[in-house]
Amino acid sequence: MNAWPDTGTSAALRQKYATDLALDRDGEWLQAFADVPRHVFVPRFFTQGTDAAWHPVAWGDVGYLEAVYGDAALTTQLDEHGIPTSSSSQPSVMLTMLEALDVHDGNRVFELGTGTGYNTALLSHRLGEKRVTSVDVDPGLVAAAIGRLKQAGHSPTLAAGDGALGYPRRAPYDRIIATAGLHAIPPALLEQAAEDAVIVAPLGYGIIRAQVTAPGHATGRFLPTPAHFMTLRTPATAPDLDAVRNEEPGTTSVAPHDVLERLKFPLSLALPGYTSCTWKDDQGQVTAVGLWTADGSVASVDTTGTVRQSGPRRLWDSVEELAATFTEAEGIARDDFLLTITPTRQTITYRETGGPSWHLPTPSR
Ligand SMILES: C[S@@+](CC[C@H](N)C(=O)[O-])C[C@H]1O[C@@H](n2cnc3c(N)ncnc32)[C@H](O)[C@@H]1O
C-alpha cells in the first residue's frame, strides 16, 4: 500500500516516462525512474503564461500528470519578485548526470541542491538511503523534501546549509553531484572527496565530469550535453544599465545573437557567473544584448554594432576574443574542454595544451 496517491493514469504515465527516458541507454536507472513517483516530489509547479505571469499547476489540474511525467524542468518555487528559486530539473539531463556519476553498490554520495528531493530519492533507490547525503541552502525546501522522501520510503541524511561547504560529518564521498550551477568546484567538496571520487556538476552552461586523481587534484571533460541550471545562491548585484548608456560608444562586428547562442558556453567559462538580458522590438526581434558580472562590469551591444562598456572589466573585449577563437559556425563541442584542478588553481583548456584556457574563480576556504 503506497503512502502517496497513485492512480492507474499516474502509474501508466510513469512507466512510459521511464521507458522513454531510458531508450537507447544501458537501463541501469530505468527501475529508479519507473519506481520513484515524481509527482510526490512535485505536488505543484508553476508555468509562465504569455503575459509573463506565473500560474500554479497541481494534482487534479489539466495537464499536471502529463507534465510531471514528461521530459521538462518544472519550476517549483518563486521568490517575492517571481524569480524561480528551485525547480525539478529536466529528467533526461538528470539521467545523463546520474549515468555520468557511474555509481557502484556501496558508494557514498553527496548531493548539493536537494530541491524537491526527487534526485535524492533516485539516488536512495539505487544505493540505499544510508549512502546518500544531500544539502540545500533553503531550510523550507529541506523540510518538505524530508517529508516527501519519507512518503516514498526513504530517509537519507538531509541538511540545510551552503552545499559548497559539503557535509564533513559524513565524508568522505565516493561520488559528488551538484544540481545547482557552479562557477568552480568548491574546495570543501574536493577535501571531502574519497580517493578516485567522481564529481558531476553544472559549470557555466555545461556539465563537468571530473575524477579525483590525488588529494586536491582532479581532471575531466565536459559532457557533450548543453545545460542550464539555477546557480548557487549568492548576493546579486544589479547592473547599472544607466551608467553604460552614458559611455563613449565603440563598434563591433560580433553579432549580439552570438552571445545568446554560439558563444554562450565558452563565455560562461571566460566570465563565470555572467548574466545577460535582451531588448526586443515590437515584433519580438532582439535589438540589443546586455551583459554584466558581479563586480559591476556592464556591456551592451545593439544590432547596428554599437558597443558600450563600463565598470572594472571590458566584458565585450572578452566576447570579441572568443569570437576570434571560436569561428565554427556549427557550434562548439563541449567535450573538447578539459578541466584540471590542483589545490591552487582550476583551469579549463580548449582542445589541447597551447589552446585557449581560463582560470576559474576558486573560492578561498
Ligand atoms: C535545480 S534545483 C535542484 C533540483 C533537485 N536536485 C531536485 O531533484 O529537485 C537547485 C537547488 O539548489 C539549491 N541551492 C542554491 N544555492 C545553494 C547552495 N549554496 N547550497 C545548497 N543548495 C543550493 C536551490 O535552493 C535549489 O533548490
Side-chain angles (χ1 to χ4, degrees):
M1 178 64 182
N2 290 330
W4 34 276
D6 207 14
T7 60
T9 312
S10 56
L13 284 172
R14 186 166 58 258
Q15 185 56 52
K16 179 172 181 330
Y17 152 87
T19 311
D20 288 352
L21 275 179
L23 224 56
D24 303 328
R25 314 263 196 150
D26 68 12
E28 192 202 359
W29 285 95
L30 171 67
Q31 206 54 49
F33 278 91
D35 288 348
V36 176
R38 192 182 185 209
H39 68 269
V40 168
F41 295 91
V42 187
R44 183 180 73 151
F45 62 88
F46 297 90
T47 55
Q48 206 165 18
T50 43
D51 56 354
W54 291 97
H55 307 279
V57 183
W59 176 274
D61 289 340
V62 176
Y64 165 80
L65 277 175
E66 288 73 10
V68 165
Y69 292 116
D71 187 23
L74 299 172
T75 298
T76 50
Q77 185 174 267
L78 303 164
D79 71 10
E80 66 276 22
H81 309 294
I83 308 287
T85 51
S86 194
S87 62
S88 175
S89 309
Q90 186 177 357
S92 57
V93 175
M94 292 172 64
L95 175 58
T96 297
M97 293 178 73
L98 289 168
E99 283 179 336
L101 202 59
D102 186 28
V103 297
H104 297 279
D105 292 350
N107 281 167
R108 295 148 298 178
V109 180
F110 174 78
E111 178 189 37
L112 185 165
T114 315
T116 64
Y118 180 49
N119 198 51
T120 325
L122 294 168
L123 286 164
S124 301
H125 181 286
R126 169 67 184 82
L127 292 167
E129 61 190 23
K130 290 198 168 41
R131 304 273 168 194
V132 179
T133 303
S134 182
V135 170
D136 200 287
V137 74
D138 186 327
L141 289 176
V142 172
I146 289 173
R148 292 169 189 156
L149 280 155
K150 205 166 270 169
Q151 266 186 286
H154 305 290
S155 297
T157 300
L158 259 61
D162 183 0
L165 301 176
Y167 194 72
R169 247 188 290 168
R170 303 246 309 158
Y173 301 103
D174 306 296
R175 298 290 185 266
I176 292 173
I177 182 166
T179 61
L182 307 179
H183 304 326
I185 304 301
L189 299 190
L190 291 161
E191 282 168 21
Q192 292 168 37
E195 200 178 326
D196 299 330
V198 173
I199 302 171
V200 175
L203 200 60
Y205 288 117
I207 299 167
I208 192 73
R209 179 192 192 277
Q211 181 144 28
V212 170
T213 48
H217 294 256
T219 182
R221 291 187 177 277
F222 281 82
L223 304 183
T225 327
H228 177 46
F229 276 72
M230 289 174 179
T231 48
L232 280 196
R233 290 194 215 174
T234 47
T237 317
D240 190 350
L241 294 172
D242 284 334
V244 80
R245 251 177 239 129
N246 300 327
E247 292 291 328
E248 204 51 43
T251 57
T252 182
S253 57
V254 181
H257 217 257
D258 278 356
V259 171
L260 304 175
E261 288 179 7
R262 207 175 65 77
L263 299 175
K264 188 168 153 170
F265 173 61
L267 195 60
S268 71
L269 305 176
L271 301 177
Y274 85 91
T275 310
S276 65
C277 67
T278 54
W279 286 268
K280 293 183 179 168
D281 63 17
D282 295 344
Q283 279 76 49
Q285 299 297 317
V286 172
T287 56
V289 169
L291 290 182
W292 65 93
T293 48
D295 61 3
S297 304
V298 183
S300 76
V301 58
D302 64 27
T303 41
T304 68
T306 302
V307 188
R308 288 186 167 83
Q309 310 197 64
S310 67
R313 273 196 297 175
R314 313 277 296 167
L315 301 184
W316 198 259
D317 295 4
S318 299
V319 174
E320 300 226 354
E321 276 167 32
L322 291 175
T325 305
F326 299 102
T327 49
E328 305 95 323
E330 73 278 9
I332 295 159
R334 284 168 167 73
D335 46 352
D336 276 342
F337 291 75
L338 177 78
L339 172 66
T340 309
I341 298 175
T342 68
T344 51
R345 276 222 152 136
Q346 298 194 14
T347 309
I348 303 224
T349 315
Y350 178 60
R351 284 211 170 137
E352 62 229 310
T353 325
S357 65
W358 303 270
H359 296 302
L360 300 179
T362 320
S364 53
R365 297 244 42 218

